[in-house]
Amino acid sequence: MQQAESLINTYDIPLDQQITTLEVAPSVHNGTPTISLSKEELISTHLNNITILKNAPASEEPRPLMLGAAYAPSIASLNDLQKISFKDLKAEVHHRGCFIAARTITSPYLSSQIVTIIEEEGGDVAKLEVSFQDLASPDSDLPLNSTLAVKEPYFKYIGEGDYAIHVDHPSDIAVLRGDDPAVMMIMEVVSKTKEIGAEEWRSAGDKAFLGRNFSSSIECYTQAIDASPNKESSFVKDVYRKRAYANLTGKRYDVAMEDALVSCSGDPLDHKAYYCAGKAAYELRRYNDARNYFEKALQSNTRDAKYRKDLNRSKTRIAEQEEGTYDFKLMGESLSKSHVHLDHADFLKNTKVEQTKEKGRGLFATTDIKRGDLVLCEKALHFPNLSEISEHQQSIIYNFNTKTRAKSTGQSALFLGLIHKLYSNPLLDSRLFNLDSGEYIRTGKEGQLVDGVPIIDVFLIEAIRLKNGFSYRETYLRDDPASTSKSISEKDLLHAGLWTHAAMLNHSCIPNCSRSFIGDMMILRALCDIPSGTELTHHYTSPEASLFTRQERFKNNWDFECTCLLCATEAKSPKEKHEERLKLMHEIRDEATKHKQGKKVPEATLRSIERLYKKAQSLHEPIIYTTIPRLLLVHPSIWLTQTYHSKRNHLKAVKYAIEILRSFGFGNVLEEEGETRLELDYEKGVVNSEVFNALQYAMDAYRELGKEGLRARCEAEARRMLGIITGDGEGFV
C-alpha cells in the first residue's frame, strides 16, 4: 500500500478536480482547519512529488494554469501589518491586516506553480503555493532556507481536507533567497555575528555581478550605499553607477536609469552613467531621452563607436515615431522564429484617443489619410516569443471567474509575461492599467510602489488581456501549385500580444482600417480615404457569416452589441429569413463535403450546389443587401471558384471569383470598357486574404481566356490589397 502511494504525485491535480475544489471551497469558509499530516509526512510527500515530477516523461499537453476565485492584492506595507502564526489561519480567508513570516525547509516543486514546505519560528509547518512565477528566471523559485513574508495571507482549501497558504499576486510575497550570498551576509548582520562595512558590501556586489547574480549584486550595492555615511561621496556615486548597470542587465530599466543619473557628479566616468541611462531609456522606448543621454556620453568620450552607434539608433527611432518612416521589406526579412522582437519605434501621431458617442473611448484620425496609407505602427507592450517557451513551460490558463480557457499557449504566455514585465518595470504600468478591464473591480492602487515593489493584481491583468489582447497566425506567402501566382495561407502558430494604443480601436464588421503584424509590430493601414476626425475601426475577429453568430461572439468576448452598417442593416431582415438562409447554407455544406474538392467533383454535384447557391442568392432581399456584404454566400462561392479552377473551367472560375468579391461587399466590381476597368468599393467591402485570393483566381482565369486588360487590372488591385493585408504597402513582386 505504501509503495502504491509513493507513485502518486499529490500536487498533479487534474483540471476538472481543481474546478470542483474551487466550487466547494466557499463551504469551508472561516472554518478552523485540521491538518492531518505531521511535519515529517508533509516533507516526505513533498520530496516524493519532486522525484515523480523529475522522472515523469515529457507531456505533449500544455500544463493547466488555474486562475482561481479573484481577490484583491495587499496594498499595505509590512510595517503596517500585524504578524500572526499558522494556528491563527482560517480556511478560505484572506487575512487582511496581517502577515506571516517563515522559512522554506524543502527544495521547491516547480510545475504550474511553485510548491514548498515552510516553517515558522515556533516550529509549525504549512504548505505554500506560489502561482504565476517566471520559472525561466533564476530568481523566481524558492530555494531551501529562504526567509519569506506573505502579506494578508490566503489560506486556501485545496481538496480532500488539505490546505495551503496560497499566493497569486507577486507583490504579496517578499523573499530573501537562501542561496543568495547577500542574504547570508544580511543575516550575519541581523544576528550581530559580524559587522560589514560599505567597502565589503561593494566587493560582494562586484563578485555577484561577475557571477551574473544580478539580484544579489543589486542588494549588495544597496547595502553599501546604506552603510556609507556620506551619500554624496565619490564612493557612493560609484556604487550607484554599478547598481545601475546591474539593474540594466537584470532588465529593471526604470531603476537603472534613475541610479545612473543619480551617480553623475562631474566625474570623468560620468560618460558610463549617461550611456547606461541612455540604454535604459531606449529599452523603455523613451527615445528622445535616450538620444540626450547618448549625446552627453559622447561629450566626455567622443571616440567611443558604441556610444555613437546607439545614438544613431535613437535618431532612427525618433524619425520613425515622428514621420512613420519604416523599411517594411527589411523589417519582414529580419524576422525569424527566434527573432520576433524588432527594434522599431511607435508611429502614432496620425491618431488620438477620444470619447465616442456610444462606445466609450475610441481612436480617431488627426489628419486626412489616403487609402493604403499608414495609420499607425506600434510595438507591443509584450509579445511572447513562442520559440523560447520549452515544452515543459507551455501552459493553458483556465479562468475560474469567467469560466473560460485560453485558446493557445501564446495567450497564457502573454498573461504571465505581462505580470513579470510590469513587476520589473513599474513605469510601464500606466500604459496597461489605462485599458478597459470590463466589470472587474480595481483597488485604484495598482502599479503603486509599496515596500519597494509595484502592486500587481494578476486578476486585473488577465481581465485587461481578455478585453484588449490580440492574437494572430503567422501569415506568409507560398507558391500556389494550381497557378503561377501566389496566395495567402496560414501556419498553425498562434501568436498573442498586447498593443496598448491599438487596443483603443473599436470594432466594425466593415472597418476603415486593416491590421497586420510583422513580429511584435502591429501595422494599421487605411482601407479607404479617411477624413481627419473620423473614428478608426478594424475587425476584432473575422466576421462570421451569420448575424446572430457574430453578435453572440461580440457579447461573450467583449460585452457589446455591434451596431455597424452591416449589423444594423442585416437586423432589418426578419429572423425567419436569417434562419432560412442559414439552413440552406448547411445544405450546401453537406453537399460539398460529400466529395473531395478538385477535378473529381461530379458534374451533378456541381450543378446541385450551383442551384442551391442561386436559391441562397434569391433569399437575400435586394432592398437590404444591395449595398452591404452577403457573408453567408462567401464560402459557397469560394468552393465553386476553387472547384472550377481545378477543372480549368475558366469562365466559371472567373464568374464565381467575382461572386466572392460581391459577397464581401464590393458591389458590381467589373465594368468592361475595352476590357480594362476594375473598380472595388473599399468603403463598403471587407478586405481579407480571401478577397485577395479571389483576385488571384480571376487573374489566372483572365490570362487563360486571353483578356489581358482585365488580368492586368486584377493584378494591380491584388498588389494594392496585398500591401494593405501584409502591412508593407508594396504587394508581391
Side-chain angles (χ1 to χ4, degrees):
M1 184 70 178
Q2 182 64 36
Q3 185 178 1
E5 290 180 351
S6 68
L7 299 177
I8 298 173
N9 184 345
T10 60
Y11 295 163
D12 187 15
I13 303 173
L15 180 61
D16 57 351
Q17 187 176 333
Q18 293 184 54
I19 295 172
T20 300
T21 300
L22 283 167
E23 291 171 342
V24 303
S27 64
V28 300
H29 173 72
N30 208 34
T32 301
T34 301
I35 307 299
S36 57
L37 296 180
S38 66
K39 174 180 176 179
E40 290 72 21
E41 290 170 326
L42 269 176
I43 294 174
S44 176
T45 301
H46 178 81
L47 296 177
N48 179 63
N49 289 339
I50 292 176
T51 300
I52 294 173
L53 179 67
K54 182 184 296 185
N55 296 329
S59 174
E60 295 182 359
E61 295 296 321
R63 54 194 173 95
L65 196 63
M66 175 62 73
L67 190 65
Y71 64 95
S74 174
I75 60 175
S77 169
L78 269 172
N79 293 331
D80 298 326
L81 300 176
Q82 178 183 355
K83 184 179 179 181
I84 59 174
S85 68
F86 294 170
K87 293 178 180 177
D88 297 320
L89 297 174
K90 299 292 185 181
E92 283 299 312
V93 169
H94 301 277
H95 297 77
R96 300 299 182 185
C98 305
F99 78 96
I100 58 105
R103 68 180 183 91
T104 60
I105 57 173
T106 60
S107 298
Y109 174 96
L110 305 176
S111 185
S112 56
Q113 59 186 356
I114 297 174
V115 186
T116 191
I117 308 301
I118 58 175
E119 182 178 44
E120 64 180 348
E121 197 172 27
D124 288 331
V125 296
K127 191 181 302 178
L128 173 69
E129 298 176 341
V130 183
S131 294
F132 315 127
Q133 295 295 295
D134 183 5
L135 298 181
S137 169
D139 298 328
S140 65
D141 62 355
L142 296 171
L144 181 66
N145 291 325
S146 295
T147 301
L148 57 89
V150 178
K151 300 197 292 185
E152 302 187 325
Y154 168 36
F155 202 39
K156 181 181 179 181
Y157 176 66
I158 56 176
E160 299 182 356
D162 200 4
Y163 299 83
I165 298 167
H166 185 86
V167 178
D168 287 302
H169 310 293
S171 50
D172 283 354
I173 184 169
V175 179
L176 296 175
R177 292 174 56 86
D179 61 354
D180 188 339
V183 172
M184 299 175 192
M185 294 172 69
I186 291 171
M187 299 306 291
E188 288 179 325
V189 173
V190 171
S191 63
K192 298 181 179 179
T193 59
K194 184 177 181 181
E195 290 187 8
I196 302 175
E199 290 278 3
E200 189 174 349
W201 279 117
R202 182 174 68 172
S203 297
D206 293 344
K207 183 178 179 180
F209 184 84
L210 292 173
R212 302 191 64 79
N213 190 344
F214 303 119
S215 61
S216 182
S217 66
I218 290 166
E219 182 58 42
C220 289
Y221 292 142
T222 301
Q223 293 294 332
I225 292 169
D226 292 343
S228 300
N230 183 1
K231 296 299 187 284
E232 298 300 321
S233 66
S234 59
F235 172 85
V236 170
K237 297 294 183 180
D238 175 67
V239 177
Y240 269 117
R241 185 165 51 248
K242 289 174 179 288
R243 193 173 72 174
Y245 273 94
N247 278 310
L248 179 67
T249 314
K251 298 183 178 181
R252 299 180 64 195
Y253 304 118
D254 297 13
V255 287
M257 185 169 62
E258 182 181 337
D259 278 355
L261 296 176
V262 169
S263 75
C264 294
S265 60
D267 187 276
L269 293 178
D270 279 357
H271 66 93
K272 292 185 176 181
Y274 282 123
Y275 180 69
C276 180
K279 293 287 284 185
Y282 191 96
E283 293 298 333
L284 292 168
R285 288 144 66 173
R286 295 167 58 169
Y287 299 115
N288 286 302
D289 289 339
R291 178 190 61 189
N292 294 337
Y293 297 142
F294 290 140
E295 286 175 344
K296 289 184 177 180
L298 277 166
Q299 288 173 6
S300 302
N301 192 357
T302 57
R303 297 182 179 180
D304 197 306
K306 179 174 58 177
Y307 292 5
R308 191 162 299 282
K309 178 182 177 181
D310 283 327
L311 172 61
N312 290 334
R313 278 207 311 160
S314 298
K315 290 179 177 179
T316 302
R317 299 291 85 78
I318 292 169
E320 289 172 346
Q321 67 185 13
E322 291 298 323
E323 303 164 18
T325 52
Y326 299 92
D327 186 335
F328 289 108
K329 183 178 180 181
L330 187 62
M331 190 186 294
E333 290 173 351
S334 70
L335 196 65
S336 68
K337 283 188 176 181
S338 61
H339 179 62
V340 297
H341 299 139
L342 306 184
D343 184 14
H344 295 284
D346 300 338
F347 173 67
L348 309 175
K349 65 186 302 183
N350 282 352
T351 65
K352 65 178 178 180
V353 179
E354 286 188 349
Q355 286 293 126
T356 67
K357 291 181 179 179
E358 299 176 346
K359 297 178 287 187
R361 292 174 297 179
L363 220 52
F364 290 79
T366 60
T367 186
D368 294 340
I369 305 173
K370 295 293 185 182
R371 188 187 86 185
D373 282 356
L374 185 65
V375 176
L376 65 80
C377 185
E378 182 181 4
K379 185 177 175 68
L381 173 65
H382 188 66
F383 181 83
N385 185 348
L386 300 183
S387 69
E388 294 178 351
I389 303 174
S390 61
E391 287 187 6
H392 77 276
Q393 291 176 323
Q394 293 183 1
S395 60
I396 293 288
I397 296 175
Y398 180 84
N399 189 333
F400 180 74
N401 305 283
T402 59
K403 304 297 187 288
T404 58
R405 187 194 307 259
K407 296 178 181 178
S408 70
T409 57
Q411 293 175 339
S412 300
L414 173 60
F415 164 67
L416 294 171
L418 285 169
I419 294 171
H420 309 145
K421 193 161 194 172
L422 297 178
Y423 190 69
S424 299
N425 294 282
L427 282 180
L428 299 175
D429 289 357
S430 60
R431 294 178 56 192
L432 181 81
F433 295 139
N434 190 38
L435 298 178
D436 178 33
S437 57
E439 297 180 355
Y440 185 81
I441 300 173
R442 306 186 183 209
T443 65
K445 303 291 185 180
E446 46 274 354
Q448 294 186 16
L449 292 179
V450 176
D451 295 330
V453 298
I455 296 171
I456 299 294
D457 185 339
V458 300
F459 301 100
L460 172 59
I461 289 175
E462 175 61 1
I464 290 173
R465 185 198 70 80
L466 284 171
K467 291 286 185 182
N468 301 277
F470 293 84
S471 295
Y472 77 90
R473 295 190 183 276
E474 211 172 296
T475 304
Y476 67 108
L477 293 175
R478 62 172 174 82
D479 289 334
D480 185 351
S483 72
T484 58
S485 61
K486 296 177 180 179
S487 63
I488 290 181
S489 185
E490 291 182 336
K491 293 182 179 179
D492 292 329
L493 200 58
L494 185 64
H495 292 286
L498 189 69
W499 289 262
T500 55
H501 191 73
M504 294 294 182
L505 285 160
N506 284 315
H507 168 85
S508 173
C509 296
I510 309 178
N512 55 20
C513 296
S514 174
R515 71 177 185 267
S516 57
F517 302 89
I518 302 179
D520 64 344
M521 303 299 296
M522 179 191 287
I523 302 158
L524 199 73
R525 289 192 177 273
L527 292 175
C528 56
D529 291 347
I530 302 174
S532 178
T534 303
E535 184 181 2
L536 304 167
T537 58
H538 71 147
H539 283 146
Y540 278 11
T541 182
S542 298
E544 289 287 344
S546 165
L547 168 66
F548 301 117
T549 302
R550 291 200 307 271
Q551 294 290 21
E552 182 181 7
R553 175 176 288 188
F554 298 144
K555 185 65 178 176
N556 291 340
N557 291 348
W558 296 282
D559 196 27
F560 76 93
E561 179 179 347
C562 184
T563 58
C564 74
L565 174 64
L566 176 61
C567 290
T569 307
E570 276 203 286
K572 297 175 183 177
S573 181
K575 184 178 180 182
E576 295 76 17
K577 277 285 186 184
H578 285 286
E579 292 173 346
E580 189 177 357
R581 288 191 290 265
L582 194 58
K583 181 180 178 182
L584 190 57
M585 288 304 104
H586 290 156
E587 286 185 47
I588 294 175
R589 181 197 62 195
D590 293 342
E591 185 71 20
T593 53
K594 288 180 181 178
H595 305 278
K596 186 176 181 180
Q597 191 174 5
K599 297 179 182 178
K600 296 184 179 180
V601 174
E603 291 297 323
T605 299
L606 266 172
R607 288 194 297 271
S608 174
I609 291 177
E610 283 189 293
R611 186 171 58 253
L612 291 171
Y613 181 81
K614 289 178 181 178
K615 183 178 179 181
Q617 285 180 309
S618 69
L619 290 176
H620 287 77
E621 307 95 318
I623 194 171
I624 293 174
Y625 284 96
T626 299
T627 59
I628 63 171
R630 301 171 298 174
L631 296 180
L632 278 175
L633 296 176
V634 165
H635 289 294
S637 55
I638 290 175
W639 188 91
L640 287 164
T641 301
Q642 292 174 340
T643 301
Y644 279 120
H645 180 84
S646 298
K647 288 177 173 291
R648 299 189 63 78
N649 186 330
H650 305 302
L651 284 173
K652 285 292 186 79
V654 78
K655 172 185 175 180
Y656 287 107
I658 294 168
E659 283 299 319
I660 295 172
L661 301 180
R662 286 174 174 159
S663 297
F664 274 117
F666 288 100
N668 295 320
V669 295
L670 290 173
E671 300 176 20
E672 296 192 35
E673 294 180 3
E675 295 188 340
T676 58
R677 189 174 179 191
L678 172 65
E679 298 291 339
L680 300 183
D681 186 352
Y682 282 83
E683 290 191 8
K684 296 178 181 177
V686 177
V687 174
N688 56 28
S689 60
E690 291 166 331
V691 177
F692 168 79
N693 288 338
L695 286 168
Q696 294 282 74
Y697 283 119
M699 185 176 73
D700 291 345
Y702 281 130
R703 179 188 296 110
E704 296 297 326
L705 293 169
K707 296 187 176 184
E708 180 58 26
L710 285 172
R711 186 212 64 78
R713 292 302 300 154
C714 285
E715 180 177 351
E717 283 296 341
R719 284 179 180 275
R720 285 194 209 85
M721 191 169 292
L722 185 62
I724 293 173
I725 292 171
T726 61
D728 63 15
E730 296 181 10
F732 58 83
V733 178

